[in-house]
Amino acid sequence: MAAKEDPTVWAVLVSPEAAAAVVTLVGAVLAAYWGGRAGGKGAVAAAQAQNRGMADQAAINARRAIYAEFARDARALADGVHRYVMGPGPDLDADSAAYLQVLDKARWSYDVVSIEGPRFVREAAELFINQALSCRANGSWHSSAVAAFNKLDSLRGTDDGRQFEAFLAVGREIDRIRHAARVLPQNWRGHARAWARNTPPDLRASWQEERDRSPNEAPAYEDVAMLVNLIRDDDGPPFSAALQAGYLTSQEAEKIISYTVTWAEEDDPRQRVLRGLIPMQDALKAFVKKANRVLHPEESEEDSGDS
């Protein structure tokens, strides 16, 4: 005979209090389960974020070392170009050897930067290398002229009265040549130099022929003849006292004269040569700026459009 259900027990089991307890228990179990899963996911995400942070920092440290090495070698190359172009001595072979040595190091450093990137840093490094090559090439002719002017300056600082007097005499001739050249347009200065080296039988006839080709810019014959007579060597070469004493060579005198005639507006031709090195120096500054943008992006927001 089946046992009769106790109505009291059933009443307890189906009471609102019992139902609430069951719901609370199930909720607690589910919360513990999902909370554990969420905590596990959070721990994984935190670990992944930490790993990414460590990887990013390692990449930044690697790039910092690479960029710093290139900047060091690039500055050495810039100094090498400056010494080659502006060096006080005539030993261009030694200057060339030193230049090639620092160029090789800078090129190797550039290769590493090129591999590491990013693109805008690689392009900045490439621009610097190209500017260094261009500045050196453009300065090759100027370097011998600068060396000649440097040698001339050495006469000014001597205690030897004869050398100082030779320096003053050369300076006076340079001033006369510069004044005469400034009167002529640039292309006519070239004609005057050519006529001084190979004097035509009739200078006026040569001037007339050239004037007929370009009548609008032709200077007066007397102005052309003045410059030709100052730089020709029929009655003895310019700077004759310095040449005879051995203070200057004929090649150095020719460089000084050619530069004075061509760039008559420049009181000191070395300043012109120095200005020719500015693009290389600007390119190096641009590389450093781009590298800082990678290493310190929070400080370079103003450059965000350069890439």
Side-chain angles (χ1 to χ4, degrees):
M1 182 176 178
K4 292 180 67 175
E5 293 181 351
D6 187 346
T8 302
V9 173
W10 177 251
V12 171
L13 291 176
V14 298
S15 67
E17 292 80 1
V22 171
V23 172
T24 301
L25 177 61
V26 172
V29 171
L30 291 175
Y33 172 74
W34 290 111
R37 291 197 62 179
K41 289 183 178 179
V44 171
Q48 290 175 338
Q50 183 178 10
N51 288 337
R52 284 195 299 270
M54 293 175 63
D56 291 344
Q57 188 60 47
I60 289 176
N61 290 339
R63 281 178 166 173
R64 179 178 289 109
I66 291 169
Y67 296 165
E69 185 172 15
F70 177 80
R72 179 199 65 197
D73 293 342
R75 193 165 299 281
L77 176 57
D79 292 342
V81 172
H82 185 279
R83 282 194 300 271
Y84 175 83
V85 175
M86 300 297 296
D91 192 356
L92 296 181
D93 290 337
D95 290 340
S96 294
Y99 161 79
L100 291 174
Q101 185 177 11
V102 293
L103 175 62
D104 286 343
K105 291 189 67 176
R107 278 175 163 168
W108 185 91
S109 296
Y110 162 72
D111 288 341
V112 181
V113 170
S114 181
I115 293 171
E116 184 65 27
R119 175 180 56 81
F120 61 86
V121 174
R122 176 174 65 251
E123 291 174 348
E126 182 181 17
L127 176 62
F128 167 78
I129 294 293
N130 290 339
Q131 288 291 358
L133 293 172
S134 177
C135 287
R136 196 265 186 179
N138 294 336
S140 292
W141 185 89
H142 300 302
S143 60
S144 56
V146 169
F149 276 98
N150 287 337
K151 187 174 181 181
L152 178 62
D153 274 356
S154 68
L155 302 178
R156 176 173 54 184
T158 181
D159 294 331
D160 187 324
R162 293 178 57 219
Q163 290 187 16
F164 185 70
E165 180 57 38
F167 166 78
L168 293 178
V170 171
R172 288 191 292 268
E173 291 188 69
I174 288 176
D175 287 341
R176 287 195 292 269
I177 292 171
R178 182 179 291 121
H179 179 76
R182 284 175 176 171
V183 178
L184 307 183
Q186 186 65 248
N187 62 322
W188 278 88
R189 298 176 192 180
H191 296 322
R193 286 174 53 198
W195 291 332
R197 284 193 296 264
N198 301 289
T199 305
D202 188 342
L203 179 60
R204 183 179 288 274
S206 297
W207 165 82
Q208 181 71 53
E209 181 181 350
E210 197 60 43
R211 189 191 67 170
D212 292 342
R213 294 194 183 98
S214 54
N216 293 332
E217 61 178 24
Y221 168 75
E222 290 74 15
D223 293 334
V224 174
M226 172 68 73
L227 180 58
V228 171
N229 290 330
L230 285 172
I231 61 179
R232 76 197 312 174
D233 57 6
D234 288 356
D235 300 324
F239 317 153
S240 56
L243 289 169
Q244 291 171 3
Y247 301 143
L248 292 175
T249 67
S250 58
Q251 292 82 4
E252 290 165 344
E254 173 61 24
K255 283 292 184 181
I256 293 173
I257 292 171
S258 295
Y259 213 99
T260 301
V261 171
T262 304
W263 309 113
E265 289 74 18
E266 302 284 344
D267 291 333
D268 187 346
R270 283 157 292 197
Q271 294 303 315
R272 180 182 183 84
V273 179
L274 284 173
R275 288 196 296 272
L277 302 180
I278 291 176
M280 173 183 63
Q281 297 159 352
D282 288 345
L284 179 54
K285 293 177 183 177
F287 168 79
V288 173
K289 184 177 180 180
K290 299 290 187 181
N292 278 329
R293 176 180 161 187
V294 174
L295 300 177
H296 307 286
E298 72 284 357
E299 299 177 3
S300 307
E301 295 180 358
E302 69 276 10
D303 297 332
S304 59
D306 292 348
S307 60

